[in-house]
Amino acid sequence: MIDFLIKLTITLFVLLAVYYLFLEKEKMHLFNRFYLLFSLVFSFVVPFITIEVIQEIAKSTAVPANIQVLQGSTQIVEETNYLPIALWSLYALVTLILAIRFISNVIKISAKMKSNSPIAYKNAKLILVPEKTLPHTFLNSIFINETDYNNRNIEAELYTHELTHVTQKHTLDILFIEIIKTIFWFNPIFIFYKKAIQLNHEFLADEKVVTSYKNVPFYQSLLLSKANENQPFYLASNLNYLITKKRLLMMTKTTSTTRALVKKGLLIPLLTVLVFSLCTKVVAQEKKVVKAEQTKTQLTGMEKYFENTIFKIKDKNGTIVSEKKFNELTDLEKKNVPPPPPPATSKQDKNLKEAKGPTSVELSIYNKGDDKAYKVQDAKTVSPEKVRTNQSQTVYDIAGLTEKPEFPGGIVEFYKFVGENFQISKEASANKIKGKVYITFIVEKDGSITDTKILRDIGFNTGEEAERVIRLSPKWIPGKMNEEPVRTMYSLPITVQTAK
């Protein structure tokens, strides 16, 4: 809602400023009338227009093991904020009062139309009223004093003026802006729009009179003589609305066709700039960055053959200590991989490239003929303890574990812990955000949490807050591979929702 009101106000202000600076002083009143009405409609449409501009961001293809998102999520609900309720209540009360005022004025005018005898006059109806009043118009009715009408004290110029309001349906413009003012009463810019619209109506009516009677000085004197009389209804088109120097000078002003066309044409780039400046939204799209080595050649030979094979690495005692893909094997481990069937002919070679390796292979790098060392490519010896130390740094995916890591008391207790510690910012609360924060972390062998990362958040510092809460977590029960604790990559979504 705040974003809507900001875009609405900016558009209204810019278009009204352009009107006052470049259009109001020009004698192209019919165009100006529809410009003002278009400005109102256009300003309400702009906040609903979205022009997406895709911007690519780099994403490395070198990622750790696949992340399994756990079923279920943490729901964080903020306590009820009573300030918005109070503000909405105030808005509803004021809007109701203004709506009653608006409807009451319409009823009063309608009652006056029904209680007095109408007289047909060209395309309008003359409503003769007993009270002393200036001629004024509502829809197709012109209200005039009965005595002045019978004594023929109403000048022909005044009839022409009011008849112009009827034929051009100026009342509809006034009703339109009044309805908007009733709903958006808190925005003062609509007051200026109503003044501009009503003054434009008088310009149009004055222009018709001047064109018909060609006696500007007499008509100006006639208007000045009526200037101090009260206006009967704020919904009616009144003869003496804003009889100012601006209105009197406009009767003698001229605007060349070229000047008018230039000013009208400048509105096209203005509207274009407004739309693109307020409606453009940058959408991030991930772009894969492929390492140079991978771009040179595609997988061939053994890499292709063992692409989907899982290698189960065994230690000296024949115990499986880790599981790897072919491209994760060390040089020592690759030397012990059993070769695929050798190609005998070109046709067989083609079949080899298309062949698929076994689902899993048990692989031992221990050399039974040498109890003291593991053979490696550079012929140096590495102790078994160091080999195990390197393997101890491996981060496992929970999908391959014999026992998955678990929060003390279970995942429900973990959700409760997050819900109690997660704090929603005031900005997030004001915008009534709702969505999911995706976070990953490593459960260490001792159950501690390390390497927290946010995969995606919904803004307003929700990602940083999720990381903070995860770091506060007590130690977990670590994941295990064959009864041995291992480092495990873990991920989950946290659902964040402010109070409605």
Side-chain angles (χ1 to χ4, degrees):
M1 177 60 76
I2 294 177
D3 182 65
F4 169 81
L5 292 176
I6 291 174
K7 289 182 178 180
L8 171 67
T9 303
I10 291 174
T11 309
L12 287 169
F13 176 81
V14 171
L15 295 178
L16 186 62
V18 169
Y19 174 77
Y20 279 128
L21 292 174
F22 302 106
L23 301 179
E24 185 190 40
K25 297 177 183 178
E26 304 300 332
K27 200 164 186 177
M28 44 185 189
H29 308 311
L30 188 60
F31 174 83
N32 287 350
R33 177 193 179 187
F34 289 103
Y35 171 84
L36 289 169
L37 296 175
F38 170 79
S39 297
L40 291 170
V41 176
F42 180 75
S43 299
F44 279 96
V45 172
V46 163
F48 297 101
I49 300 175
T50 301
I51 301 174
E52 292 189 351
V53 177
I54 298 176
Q55 180 178 0
E56 291 187 336
I57 57 174
K59 176 185 177 183
S60 175
T61 56
V63 295
N66 294 331
I67 299 171
Q68 179 180 355
V69 179
L70 298 181
Q71 297 296 323
S73 59
T74 301
Q75 184 92 355
I76 301 162
V77 181
E78 187 194 17
E79 293 183 359
T80 302
N81 185 357
Y82 291 99
L83 179 60
I85 297 175
L87 292 176
W88 278 108
S89 300
L90 176 63
Y91 167 79
L93 178 62
V94 176
T95 303
L96 179 62
I97 293 173
L98 293 177
I100 292 173
R101 172 176 175 261
F102 174 79
I103 295 171
S104 174
N105 275 274
V106 173
I107 293 174
K108 285 181 181 179
I109 296 176
S110 299
K112 182 177 284 191
M113 292 167 60
K114 293 177 180 179
S115 61
N116 295 280
S117 301
I119 299 175
Y121 179 76
K122 297 184 179 180
N123 296 326
K125 292 186 297 183
L126 298 180
I127 306 297
L128 305 181
V129 296
E131 61 267 22
K132 190 70 176 177
T133 182
L134 273 176
H136 55 278
T137 303
F138 184 80
L139 295 176
N140 66 333
S141 300
I142 301 174
F143 297 85
I144 57 176
N145 178 257
E146 185 177 10
T147 303
D148 289 340
Y149 174 77
N150 293 329
N151 295 332
R152 301 184 182 278
N153 292 333
I154 302 174
E155 293 79 359
E157 287 85 352
L158 300 187
Y159 282 115
T160 302
H161 183 101
E162 296 304 319
L163 193 60
T164 303
H165 289 312
V166 172
T167 56
Q168 295 186 6
K169 303 184 185 303
H170 291 169
T171 305
L172 297 181
D173 299 359
I174 297 175
L175 291 175
F176 177 58
I177 187 61
E178 278 297 330
I179 291 172
I180 295 177
K181 279 180 59 187
T182 300
I183 299 173
F184 295 90
W185 53 265
F186 51 85
N187 194 335
I189 197 168
F190 292 110
I191 297 174
F192 296 97
Y193 265 91
K194 183 185 177 184
K195 287 183 177 180
I197 289 172
Q198 286 187 294
L199 182 58
N200 175 260
H201 289 169
E202 298 309 314
F203 285 158
L204 286 165
D206 292 341
E207 184 180 33
K208 181 65 175 178
V209 173
V210 171
T211 303
S212 300
Y213 297 94
K214 303 184 185 303
N215 191 347
V216 175
F218 173 77
Y219 182 59
Q220 289 176 332
S221 300
L222 179 62
L223 290 180
L224 289 172
S225 67
K226 309 290 185 182
N228 295 326
E229 298 189 31
N230 293 329
Q231 300 176 13
F233 292 102
Y234 79 99
L235 293 179
S237 295
N238 299 293
L239 174 71
N240 63 344
Y241 179 80
L242 283 180
I243 299 179
T244 61
K245 183 178 179 181
K246 183 186 297 185
R247 185 175 166 187
L248 297 176
L249 289 176
M250 186 60 70
M251 297 179 193
T252 58
K253 187 177 179 63
T254 58
T255 298
S256 66
T257 304
T258 303
R259 183 183 179 90
L261 286 175
V262 169
K263 292 200 172 186
K264 292 174 184 178
L266 291 176
L267 296 177
I268 297 176
L270 170 68
L271 297 176
T272 304
V273 170
L274 271 176
V275 169
F276 278 94
S277 59
L278 295 176
C279 304
T280 302
K281 177 182 179 182
V282 178
V283 179
Q285 179 172 292
E286 293 176 343
K287 177 179 66 177
K288 290 188 177 181
V289 178
V290 183
K291 293 184 178 180
E293 307 86 83
Q294 295 173 323
T295 61
K296 291 179 182 178
T297 57
Q298 295 181 343
L299 292 177
T300 58
M302 291 183 67
E303 291 182 357
K304 184 66 176 178
Y305 182 76
F306 290 114
E307 183 179 6
N308 299 314
T309 301
I310 301 297
F311 291 89
K312 299 181 178 180
I313 312 302
K314 297 193 294 185
D315 63 6
K316 176 180 177 180
N317 299 319
T319 303
I320 297 174
V321 295
S322 66
E323 294 183 356
K324 299 181 180 180
K325 292 279 192 177
F326 182 84
N327 59 2
E328 296 173 346
L329 297 176
T330 64
D331 291 340
L332 171 62
E333 292 165 345
K334 286 182 180 179
K335 280 189 173 185
N336 290 272
V337 173
T345 65
S346 59
K347 183 177 180 180
Q348 289 176 339
D349 182 61
K350 181 180 179 181
N351 292 336
L352 172 61
K353 291 181 181 179
E354 297 175 353
K356 301 295 182 183
T359 304
S360 64
V361 172
E362 292 186 358
L363 184 63
S364 176
I365 59 173
Y366 186 77
N367 186 357
K368 294 183 178 179
D370 184 0
D371 290 339
K372 295 182 179 179
Y374 288 83
K375 291 182 179 180
V376 294
Q377 190 172 4
D378 59 1
K380 293 181 181 178
T381 59
V382 182
S383 66
E385 288 76 11
K386 187 168 183 179
V387 172
R388 291 191 180 93
T389 300
N390 292 335
Q391 293 172 346
S392 68
Q393 301 304 315
T394 302
V395 178
Y396 288 79
D397 180 1
I398 61 174
L401 299 182
T402 55
E403 294 183 32
K404 296 179 181 180
E406 188 178 17
F407 186 83
I411 196 65
V412 175
E413 288 298 317
F414 172 73
Y415 292 157
K416 182 179 179 182
F417 168 80
V418 175
E420 290 174 349
N421 289 276
F422 198 100
Q423 298 178 1
I424 299 177
S425 66
K426 292 182 179 179
E427 187 180 7
S429 175
N431 284 274
K432 296 189 178 298
I433 62 168
K434 180 180 179 181
K436 292 184 179 182
V437 177
Y438 291 88
I439 186 169
T440 69
F441 50 89
I442 293 177
V443 181
E444 298 289 348
K445 293 181 180 181
D446 62 353
S448 60
I449 302 298
T450 62
D451 198 23
T452 58
K453 293 180 181 178
I454 297 299
L455 298 181
R456 189 177 75 192
D457 64 14
I458 53 177
F460 303 100
N461 295 320
T462 51
E464 291 82 350
E465 180 62 15
E467 283 193 274
R468 185 190 70 82
V469 174
I470 293 299
R471 293 193 189 104
L472 292 176
S473 171
K475 288 188 176 182
W476 288 45
I477 301 170
K480 293 182 180 181
M481 173 67 77
N482 298 323
E483 303 300 327
E484 290 292 328
V486 294
R487 303 177 73 214
T488 308
M489 176 71 73
Y490 202 92
S491 71
L492 51 79
I494 299 177
T495 300
V496 181
Q497 178 181 352
T498 56
K500 296 182 179 179

